[in-house]
Amino acid sequence: MIHKKIATRIMLALSLGVVWNAAGATDSESTDDHTVIITEHDYWDGRIDGPYENGSTVIIKGGKGDEVQGGYDTHGYSANDNTVIIDGKDSHYATITGGRSISQEAYRNVVDFKSGNVIDEIIGGEGSHYGNENKVIIREDGKTGYGIAVFGGDSRIHSDKNEVIIHGNQIYDDIVGGSVEVWDDTYVPQTSAINNTVSINGPITVNGDIMGGIIMNDRSGKIFKDIPFERLKQGNTLNINTFGVTAGNIYNFENIDFNLPKQLEDKAMLTLTKNEATDLTGSKIVAHVAGDTNVTGPTKIVLLDKKQGELIMKDATTRNQLTVTQGVSRVKSLKMQTEDNDIVLYINGKLATDTTEPATKPDEMTKPDTPTTDTNEPATKPDETAKPDKSTTDTNEPATNSEETTKPDTPSNNTDSVFHHGDPLMEQTKSLVETAVAMASFTNKGADSVAETMASSVKAAIAKNNGNDSPFFNSTMFALKYETGSHIKTYGSTTQIGFGMQREKANGTVTLAPFMEYGVGKYSSLVDSGVRGDGDIHNFGGGMLVRYDTNTGAYYEGALRVGRISGDYRGVFTVGGPQAVSFDSDATYVTAHAGVGYVKPLSDTTTLDTYGTYFYSHTGGDTVRLSTGETYDFDAVDSHRLRVGTRYTKDFSNHHAVYAGLGVEHEFDGEAIAYYDGASTPSPRLKGTSGLIELGWSHNVGKARSTYQQIGVTGWFGRERGITAHANFGWVF
């Protein structure tokens, strides 16, 4: 690394473009052509820029300064893929920008504020035409002082797909996903600020507003409000992941997700303080309850606390519906419930599904018949909604009466609970148990590898060693697709290494082959609900193969395998808003097969092997904990398969042979199922019929080099579709 002092500042500026117009001492390090590390700066009215417009990284570990930009272009080029990392607790800077282009786009720039002080503004990426796909991360130790503004992306035309992630307990002025600042109002019809995401993970205070997008005139300061949904609100998402977030107001979010922490608190998740309207028309509000949230009694959750000003929800979708999910397992659509201009959710208490609930208070025109049908409906009297004594006059409203929420005579299947023990699980939970099916199919492929080719490999190696014990190697690779009601794709290999032994008997020959095995692979699943799951699988175990060949051509074969198999799952569930979920699973597996066949000579060089084999496998169950909190009990998966077929073999010399075969296999079971809180998932299964076509070649070399090789490929069609390829080796010392 090269250390720069004040005497070399001009050279540094010219060669790397790191420091411009700086005053005071300078220390920096250059780790490569694209990365600079600022360890000490003490200047104002200056700027620190990355060495290139694209792909630069600036790491701030200390010092004080005015402006830092990861990449900066003034020559008509873009400023993409730049990064600024602020990671010095004593650093003190005014404005941070990930990447800036004054005439082109700024894409995929990142500001990662780990520690230190920023007092004015943070912008992920700032471009003239586009400020898209940029990210700002402010972590717990990043100090923002008072009045800092945060922008995921900023441009003159489009600011889309930007992300702001904020942790910790800090104070902000405004937080904006995507900002568009036009010079002239005539450009407004070309603009957009959509598909931006703002995620709040800690209790923060925003003196101004939280906005998914904003379009304004840079010169006059005019904010344009009558922008079509598809150019200002569409796809913008606000994630509130903690209690105690306070802001002046929120604007232009299509999706508002309240992700309740496992530990519930007696405070609002989001509090809005400005005395102005909050318009949630067109917004979809979702509350995510963690799968392991333990609520023992009636609990009221204030999702949004509107301190003053009107709460507007004009369209029927938002006024009457609140989507609530329990982890990724259950979902309910409830009537939106408001109390005193707050949006609330009751768990084990009064639900918003009660038609007596004053959810229609902000806008009564969508429910004109309510006043005539229920004289106890307080929502029809806006001037009384703030009077606490009104709730006690309506016996249909226990949620507002603290003395009634703990009544011991509440039935165990309390209909006021959001979710009940035994409630049905979502269809998308089928994706979770596809992992068990994939593990079972992987177990079966190991059994197939033993049954299809191991015996011939062992026998050839032993024959070359005059009947003495010989080591062998057996490996199968596969790429298969299974129809399970949805479908699963598996890719992988399984390998067995062992020793073959042969004993002559009066009526035939007994072959024994103890072995160890290891398998590794991947799988992907896609269920009808559109959820895709991916994961890795590996297994380790051992077993024994036994075969008896009679002198008449008949033979009998069997094998036993025992081991451990592990699999994991990664997916994103879509119902109720995207939620990532993952888990790990381990189980014991046991497989056995028993077969009978007859080898009929057709000529001196050809034979026909007709066989039938029964396969059984047991992949044990497991209790797994999802990343979303739920604990699932997976049942074991039992597979019963019957295969019949024939194989034709042709010897071309003492050392070479080819074979071809046909077969059909039927799976009788292979069902997977899991249970959560008294309910079961949908059940994928391997049951069905498949056909196979196989081709292969084997090679026996002379005793001077006593080895045996066989390679082959099998094509599958029907329930199981795809290709398996195997390679087998035997040798003697």
Side-chain angles (χ1 to χ4, degrees):
M1 292 184 289
I2 303 173
H3 296 272
K4 301 291 183 180
K5 296 294 184 182
I6 187 171
T8 60
R9 186 185 309 136
I10 296 177
M11 182 181 296
L12 182 65
L14 294 176
S15 61
L16 295 179
V18 176
V19 181
W20 297 92
N21 302 322
T26 300
D27 274 353
S28 71
E29 304 170 1
S30 178
T31 59
D32 54 40
D33 287 343
H34 288 267
T35 301
V36 291
I37 302 174
I38 307 300
T39 57
E40 182 180 343
H41 268 281
D42 190 4
Y43 76 95
W44 296 101
D45 299 325
R47 191 181 72 233
I48 302 171
D49 296 333
Y52 295 98
E53 298 90 347
N54 296 284
S56 294
T57 298
V58 176
I59 302 175
I60 304 295
K61 290 189 174 181
K64 300 178 182 179
D66 184 17
E67 187 174 4
V68 179
Q69 298 178 148
Y72 180 46
D73 173 71
T74 60
H75 306 293
Y77 299 105
S78 61
N80 301 333
D81 302 300
N82 302 289
T83 301
V84 176
I85 299 173
I86 311 294
D87 193 13
K89 64 178 182 179
D90 296 324
S91 62
H92 199 284
Y93 291 85
T95 300
I96 309 294
T97 305
R100 182 185 179 199
S101 172
I102 65 171
S103 59
Q104 293 296 324
E105 72 271 7
Y107 275 85
R108 298 177 301 277
N109 300 287
V110 177
V111 175
D112 190 349
F113 186 15
K114 296 182 177 181
S115 65
N117 298 270
V118 177
I119 61 173
D120 188 11
E121 193 172 68
I122 296 179
I123 305 172
E126 182 179 358
S128 175
H129 294 79
Y130 297 90
N132 294 353
E133 301 176 33
N134 302 288
K135 180 183 288 189
V136 173
I137 307 170
I138 302 179
R139 304 182 188 274
E140 289 85 347
D141 293 332
K143 306 301 181 184
T144 58
Y146 188 87
I148 185 175
V150 180
F151 301 87
D154 183 56
S155 80
R156 301 292 181 185
I157 305 287
H158 301 286
S159 290
D160 306 329
K161 299 181 181 179
N162 300 290
E163 186 173 8
V164 176
I165 303 172
I166 295 181
H167 307 271
N169 186 6
Q170 304 295 340
I171 300 174
Y172 299 86
D173 188 357
D174 292 306
I175 299 174
V176 185
S179 170
V180 174
E181 301 176 68
V182 299
W183 286 336
D184 191 290
D185 292 5
T186 59
Y187 291 101
V188 171
Q190 305 173 37
T191 59
S192 66
I194 58 175
N195 297 317
N196 300 293
T197 301
V198 176
S199 298
I200 311 297
N201 300 324
I204 65 171
T205 298
V206 182
N207 295 316
D209 304 315
I210 304 175
M211 293 169 274
I214 185 173
I215 299 174
M216 63 181 294
N217 188 302
D218 189 27
R219 297 177 178 177
S220 68
K222 176 183 177 182
I223 297 176
F224 299 96
K225 296 183 179 180
D226 296 327
I227 305 295
F229 173 87
E230 62 273 11
R231 290 200 291 111
L232 184 57
K233 196 170 186 177
Q234 180 175 287
N236 289 336
T237 300
L238 174 61
N239 295 312
I240 303 295
N241 303 324
T242 183
F243 288 91
V245 177
T246 299
N249 210 342
I250 58 174
Y251 292 99
N252 301 324
F253 287 104
E254 179 184 11
N255 306 301
I256 303 175
D257 292 350
F258 294 95
N259 300 295
L260 277 69
K262 178 182 176 181
Q263 297 298 325
L264 303 181
E265 298 181 31
D266 187 20
K267 63 176 70 172
M269 296 192 71
L270 174 62
T271 300
L272 303 181
T273 60
K274 279 189 177 180
N275 187 12
E276 60 186 28
T278 298
D279 190 351
L280 301 183
T281 301
S283 297
K284 301 168 186 172
I285 301 178
V286 178
H288 299 289
V289 180
D292 56 350
T293 298
N294 184 17
V295 181
T296 58
T299 302
K300 175 182 176 180
I301 305 296
V302 178
L303 302 177
L304 189 152
D305 181 2
K306 178 67 172 166
K307 289 297 186 183
Q308 51 187 340
E310 187 179 10
L311 183 63
I312 302 174
M313 297 182 288
K314 291 183 179 179
D315 58 312
T317 300
T318 56
R319 289 188 72 244
N320 296 323
Q321 181 173 309
L322 169 65
T323 301
V324 184
T325 68
Q326 184 180 29
V328 292
S329 302
R330 293 187 172 118
V331 63
K332 278 191 177 181
S333 293
L334 310 174
K335 193 178 85 176
M336 189 76 71
Q337 178 161 303
T338 60
E339 291 181 2
D340 299 329
N341 229 20
D342 299 341
I343 297 177
V344 299
L345 169 69
Y346 284 97
I347 302 176
N348 291 345
K350 186 64 179 177
L351 273 188
T353 51
D354 192 327
T355 57
T356 64
E357 200 53 45
T360 59
K361 175 183 54 164
D363 181 10
E364 300 173 42
M365 60 183 298
T366 61
K367 199 173 179 184
D369 56 344
T370 300
T372 61
T373 58
D374 187 357
T375 58
N376 291 324
E377 179 58 51
T380 60
K381 301 176 182 180
D383 59 332
E384 294 182 5
T385 56
K387 297 180 180 180
D389 59 339
K390 295 300 292 182
S391 59
T392 61
T393 63
D394 185 356
T395 57
N396 292 326
E397 181 53 55
T400 58
N401 190 333
S402 59
E403 296 179 357
E404 294 182 6
T405 56
T406 57
K407 281 188 175 182
D409 58 348
T410 301
S412 59
N413 61 344
N414 183 2
T415 57
D416 290 338
S417 298
V418 178
F419 299 104
H420 308 97
H421 177 75
D423 277 355
L425 304 181
M426 284 189 280
E427 179 68 23
Q428 62 186 6
T429 58
K430 181 180 181 181
S431 178
L432 303 174
V433 286
E434 296 282 15
T435 304
V437 176
M439 292 168 65
S441 68
F442 200 87
T443 299
N444 287 347
K445 282 298 106 181
D448 290 350
S449 180
V450 171
E452 291 169 0
T453 57
M454 183 185 290
S456 59
S457 178
V458 172
K459 289 171 62 178
I462 292 174
K464 287 188 168 296
N465 201 26
N466 296 318
N468 295 317
D469 297 353
S470 295
F472 66 90
F473 172 89
N474 190 57
S475 182
T476 300
M477 296 170 287
F478 53 88
L480 296 165
K481 178 179 179 180
Y482 297 88
E483 295 297 331
T484 62
S486 45
H487 71 258
I488 298 174
K489 294 180 180 179
T490 61
Y491 316 85
S493 65
T494 179
T495 299
Q496 296 86 28
I497 299 177
F499 288 88
M501 299 170 285
Q502 197 172 83
R503 301 293 181 264
E504 297 294 335
K505 301 296 181 181
N507 297 318
T509 303
V510 175
T511 302
L512 303 173
F515 60 87
M516 301 295 291
E517 66 176 358
Y518 178 74
V520 61
K522 296 180 178 293
Y523 77 94
S524 64
S525 62
L526 184 65
V527 299
D528 295 338
S529 63
V531 176
R532 173 181 169 132
D534 294 275
D536 300 306
I537 298 176
H538 65 271
N539 74 285
F540 179 79
M544 172 72 78
L545 171 71
V546 179
R547 177 166 169 136
Y548 177 53
D549 290 274
T550 69
N551 296 332
T552 62
Y555 64 87
Y556 308 91
E557 182 181 292
L560 177 68
R561 300 165 57 239
V562 179
R564 291 285 291 176
I565 187 167
S566 300
D568 59 34
Y569 174 91
R570 302 177 300 275
V572 176
F573 282 25
T574 55
V575 176
Q579 292 193 83
V581 59
S582 61
F583 66 85
D584 298 314
S585 180
D586 298 278
T588 298
Y589 68 87
V590 178
T591 76
H593 82 262
V596 60
Y598 179 74
V599 179
K600 178 179 177 60
L602 300 180
S603 69
D604 292 340
T605 59
T606 59
T607 59
L608 188 67
D609 181 356
T610 303
Y611 62 88
T613 307
Y614 166 75
F615 297 86
Y616 167 75
S617 73
H618 173 88
T619 306
D622 191 18
T623 297
V624 305
R625 179 182 172 83
L626 308 188
S627 59
T628 50
E630 302 97 307
T631 297
Y632 273 73
D633 293 314
F634 282 73
D635 262 1
V637 179
D638 292 309
S639 170
H640 302 269
R641 296 179 291 150
L642 182 62
R643 183 189 302 177
V644 295
T646 185
R647 176 185 288 183
Y648 175 85
T649 302
K650 170 69 175 178
D651 294 326
F652 286 98
S653 69
N654 291 332
H655 304 302
H656 297 275
V658 295
Y659 68 87
L662 296 172
V664 62
E665 177 182 288
H666 183 76
E667 168 66 73
F668 294 90
D669 195 357
E671 182 180 46
I673 192 170
Y675 300 90
Y676 168 67
D677 191 32
S680 61
T681 65
S683 303
R685 62 193 312 177
L686 293 168
K687 182 177 181 180
T689 302
S690 306
L692 66 92
I693 302 175
E694 58 177 350
L695 295 170
W697 166 82
S698 61
H699 178 221
N700 300 317
V701 300
K703 288 190 176 181
R705 291 183 294 129
S706 298
T707 61
Y708 164 85
Q709 303 98 38
Q710 183 184 78
I711 60 174
V713 62
T714 303
W716 293 83
F717 55 92
R719 171 195 57 86
E720 180 179 351
R721 300 197 299 271
I723 294 175
T724 62
H726 62 83
N728 311 86
F729 301 93
W731 69 94
V732 297
F733 297 105

